[in-house]
Amino acid sequence: MKLHEYQAKELFARYAIPVQNGVVIERPQQVEGIALTYPLVLKAQVLVGGRGKAGGIKLASTPDEAKRHAAAILGMQIKGEKVRRLVVAEAAEIGAEYYLAFTIDRPARRMGVIASAAGGIDIEEVARSTPDKIARGTVDPFFGFHPYQARQLGRRLGLGGSLLSDFVAVATALYRVCVSEDAELVEVNPLAVVTGRPFDAAGGPRLLAVDAKVILDDNAVYRHSGLPKNEELTELEAAARAEGLSYVELDGDLAIIGNGAGLVMATLDMVAHFGGRPANFLDVGGGATTENMKQAIEIVVRKPGVRGLLINIFGGITRCDDIARGIVDARSPVDMVVRLTGTNEDEGRRILESAGIHAYVDPQEAARRVVALVAHGA
Ligand code: GDP
Ligand code: MN
């Protein structure tokens, strides 16, 4: 589960990692009531990176400017995500930008640590263009991540003096966040050298977590009762969830329904293989009833731009006759191709055929057929 920047920073603050204090707003007018000293930074809260480049992060030196930026950012789309919330904070005076992250290193079967003096830009980009600017290591889970290890890492980034001490404090605290919160990733990009606010300028430059990205292990969410519920579902996804269907919107025009996550994924691949563009993933689950099937069809065809529907059912505990009744009841408004096989197949097939619907046995044939229908309709 991904956390929003403001949520990740609340977490960081609990572990004494320095962050800016911000205010979360949802409407541009709320800027007026904010008791912070200008210049401010306004930051779109969406669960994708690269907000700065997309225009989702702006500095404002006056209330007018802040309001204008807030109005522009709230409601904008960043990589397909609509901005519903903004964080407003006192802008930090940023000097150098570093990168620091802990993430699961699967081949090493432990947490890995990645740090770079080339922060503020995508680490993938740094890895491509200047891989020697990245320092890496892994953490022995039994030994932990100790200050001397953080110090070695910090020195490799060229840090010294009080900034090196800051780095040690931030890095060891970030590792504690990982372990205590069951995080798969904690990333600070940029971890910035700040000469003034939010710190006391007289104290010299210090490190500040200007950005915060945290992904928690879904399997461990139950262990952390205080966590936010952060799945940003689309309207259709929420409707499907309420019906107990697992549905994910995609950006194509060919709706897909199947039973079992593996079968649905394979169906998406087949459709893509034949040149179609899946509009969604929908798994009606095991033992789906007539009503589940009907609801599933009604949900997938509600997505704007859907021009075809492929239903791929392999009856096990799910019965083909139940499914067939749901298909007939729902009356798909778009071209539909059905593949049906397994438990009570003959009965299911009879029900479909009496409604004038042919059922395929071979899923590939069905996928090819529906892709052709949609292409033909275009
Ligand atoms: P991202 O684009 O989604 O990674 O968002 P970030 O929070 O990393 O912000 C992108 C960039 O905006 C940073 O690398 C900074 O250069 C700049 N930025 C963000 N917050 C501040 C701030 O408080 N003060 C200043 N001067 N720049 C900021
Ligand atoms: Mn960033």
Side-chain angles (χ1 to χ4, degrees), residues 5 9 20 41 43 48-53 57 59 89-94 97 120-121 189-190 208 210-212:
E5 178 197 359
K9 284 184 174 174
Q20 289 143 288
V41 61
K43 311 183 80 176
V48 292
R51 297 165 301 164
K53 261 190 221 153
I57 295 187
L59 295 172
E90 293 187 353
E93 291 165 43
I94 292 181
E97 299 189 322
I121 47 174
N189 187 22
L208 177 74
V210 169
D211 194 3

Side-chain angles (χ1 to χ4, degrees), residues 314-360:
F314 186 88
I317 47 173
T318 304
R319 295 166 32 157
C320 291
D321 52 331
D322 288 342
I323 292 294
R325 280 186 206 96
I327 293 173
V328 172
D329 286 359
R331 298 166 203 263
S332 166
V334 298
D335 285 332
M336 175 181 69
V337 172
V338 180
R339 180 263 182 154
L340 192 66
T341 191
T343 309
N344 292 5
E345 177 176 335
D346 293 344
E347 177 62 11
R349 215 165 268 288
R350 247 195 312 280
I351 292 165
L352 288 179
E353 258 146 37
S354 64
I357 302 165
H358 171 71
Y360 289 81

